[in-house]
Amino acid sequence: MRISVPTEVKNNEYRVALTPAGVHDLVAAGHEVFVQHGAGEGSSMPDAEYEAAGATMLHDAAEVWARAELLLKVKEPVASEYGYLRDDLVIFTYLHLAADRALTDRLLGAGSTAIAYETVQLPNRSLPLLAPMSEVAGRLAPMVGAHTLMRSSGGLGLLMSGVPGTRPARVTIIGGGVAGANSAVIAAGMGADVTVFDTNVARLRLLDDHFQGRVKTAASNPLDLDRAVVDSDLVIGSVLIPGSKAPKLVTNDMVSRMRPGSVLVDIAVDQGGCFADTHATTHDAPTFTVHGSVFYCVANMPGAVPNTSTSALTNATLPYIRQVARLGWKDALRADAALAAGLNTTAGRVANAGVAAAHDLEALPLTDALA
């Protein structure tokens, strides 16, 4: 199969969809891999390493896309790439279509087959291709939150750990999944007073056992969450419903009652965000203010640490890439129900129930998509 890896063009997106080691693996299996010049530079993976691994290097993005049967990306296609979409192309990337009607329409109009990393789902409901980036974003959230709490960044001027005789920062984490648990690891390690909210009591028991009292857990309900958010110095939103828009759990009214200089970090921004006032920001301009509180809503947080993120992503995606390259996308999805759950669009139809519901469209049954 012809597999292409273009350079990411989203603002400050330095990740790349495949490491040189991943290229070597696919070339050894008999596939052709085309990599755009400079695609790995931001991840400290130079062209020479890709060439040594067997990649064919191309300068022109249009040619990289045109040669692909399977195109691997990190972030969803942006407007400048819409013209490259076509009906015989399979795209494997993070898509987050429930929060992006424009891209959904373009994929449907082009007839492209789009498989989303974030909706590939194992029988135990875990998300193996979202997990590595959730781990990275989760661990970054308390770090960027701590930086934003500094007065020079617009925060209230609070040290996460405090010092003897002063209080630590109060951190509320909404969602105890992979991202939330990783946020709790770092926030607790920084000495903050951490509470994790989740609706899944079994998950809270697991977290309570894991942290051995270093982190508090709370069953999520509107009243208790309201009180905790208003009293927090840092709120981290990490709620996820696979394929669907994130629920809006922190209202504008709640933010209006928080201390000026409090910070809110929305990891769920790719899925529309779980704060009512969330809108996507970039690494160039990461924050905005609402009622005196500072929102950090960068839509590609793991792009800040691309060397780590690229390696973690390839570790997770490569087994699935091998399947698609070896069998073709239809047979690969027939053989693996987890991968089949990643199918979002094909032949001008939406094939994911969450995406279809978000845009009030009819979902194409998977059996029909694979017929």
Side-chain angles (χ1 to χ4, degrees):
M1 183 173 280
R2 297 189 307 277
I3 303 167
S4 286
V5 180
T7 300
E8 298 293 325
V9 296
K10 197 164 187 174
N11 180 281
N12 278 280
E13 182 51 76
Y14 298 115
R15 290 173 290 179
V16 60
L18 202 60
T19 63
V23 169
H24 181 271
D25 183 287
L26 295 171
V27 170
H31 306 293
E32 291 183 271
V33 181
F34 304 95
V35 177
Q36 189 174 350
H37 277 286
E41 292 291 342
S43 293
S44 302
M45 298 174 186
D47 288 350
E49 292 185 12
Y50 284 97
E51 289 183 287
T56 299
M57 306 303 295
L58 301 173
H59 283 283
D60 184 45
E63 186 177 3
V64 174
W65 282 75
R67 292 208 189 187
E69 294 174 281
L70 172 63
L71 187 108
L72 306 177
K73 287 182 93 290
V74 177
K75 293 302 293 178
E76 73 283 352
V78 298
S80 63
E81 297 171 310
Y82 287 172
Y84 302 142
L85 300 173
R86 59 182 200 274
D87 62 5
D88 62 344
L89 180 66
V90 179
I91 303 173
F92 198 19
T93 186
Y94 290 115
L95 287 167
H96 302 289
L97 294 183
D100 194 339
R101 182 60 189 255
L103 176 58
T104 302
D105 288 342
R106 292 306 293 257
L107 287 168
L108 296 179
S112 300
T113 296
I115 304 170
Y117 295 153
E118 74 275 5
T119 62
V120 173
Q121 189 168 28
L122 296 172
N124 66 0
R125 299 183 60 80
S126 65
L127 304 168
L129 305 189
L130 188 62
M133 296 304 96
S134 294
E135 290 166 346
V136 173
R139 293 185 180 218
L140 277 174
M143 297 167 62
V144 299
H147 182 267
T148 309
L149 276 170
M150 294 181 184
R151 192 64 185 165
S152 58
S153 299
L156 57 86
L158 187 69
L159 183 65
M160 285 278 275
S161 62
V163 294
T166 71
R167 70 173 182 85
R170 296 188 188 97
V171 178
T172 293
I173 299 170
I174 307 173
V178 174
N182 277 271
S183 288
V185 167
I186 301 303
M190 297 174 82
D193 178 2
V194 183
T195 302
V196 179
F197 278 80
D198 202 289
T199 56
N200 186 336
V201 176
R203 179 64 178 174
L204 294 177
R205 287 195 184 101
L206 185 67
L207 293 173
D208 184 73
D209 182 63
H210 175 77
F211 285 105
Q212 294 290 295
R214 293 182 297 117
V215 167
K216 291 175 281 189
T217 59
S220 187
N221 63 75
L223 181 62
D224 289 337
L225 184 62
D226 182 293
R227 290 170 175 166
V229 167
V230 171
D231 196 40
S232 294
D233 304 301
L234 170 62
V235 177
I236 296 172
S238 61
V239 177
L240 175 70
I241 300 174
S244 301
K245 283 188 175 182
K248 301 292 187 181
L249 300 179
V250 175
T251 67
N252 180 272
D253 174 67
M254 291 159 72
V255 175
S256 73
R257 290 180 280 122
M258 295 178 74
R259 281 181 293 276
S262 300
V263 174
L264 299 97
V265 178
D266 199 342
I267 299 174
V269 59
D270 279 317
Q271 292 292 108
C274 57
F275 308 152
D277 295 292
T278 288
H279 65 258
T281 61
T282 67
H283 289 287
D284 279 344
T287 63
F288 59 92
T289 302
V290 177
H291 296 306
S293 291
V294 185
F295 280 62
Y296 183 102
C297 302
V298 174
N300 57 329
M301 283 178 62
V305 286
N307 186 274
T308 296
S309 298
T310 290
S311 296
L313 181 61
T314 297
N315 291 343
T317 59
L318 190 58
Y320 294 97
I321 294 168
R322 289 193 198 108
Q323 289 185 60
V324 176
R326 180 170 61 88
L327 300 174
W329 74 270
K330 283 191 176 183
D331 283 343
L333 269 59
R334 291 188 189 107
D336 189 332
L339 184 58
L343 184 65
N344 276 213
T345 70
T346 188
R349 298 284 300 279
V350 173
N352 178 277
V355 173
H359 300 307
D360 196 25
L361 298 170
E362 183 182 357
L364 175 69
L366 182 62
T367 52
D368 292 351
L370 300 181

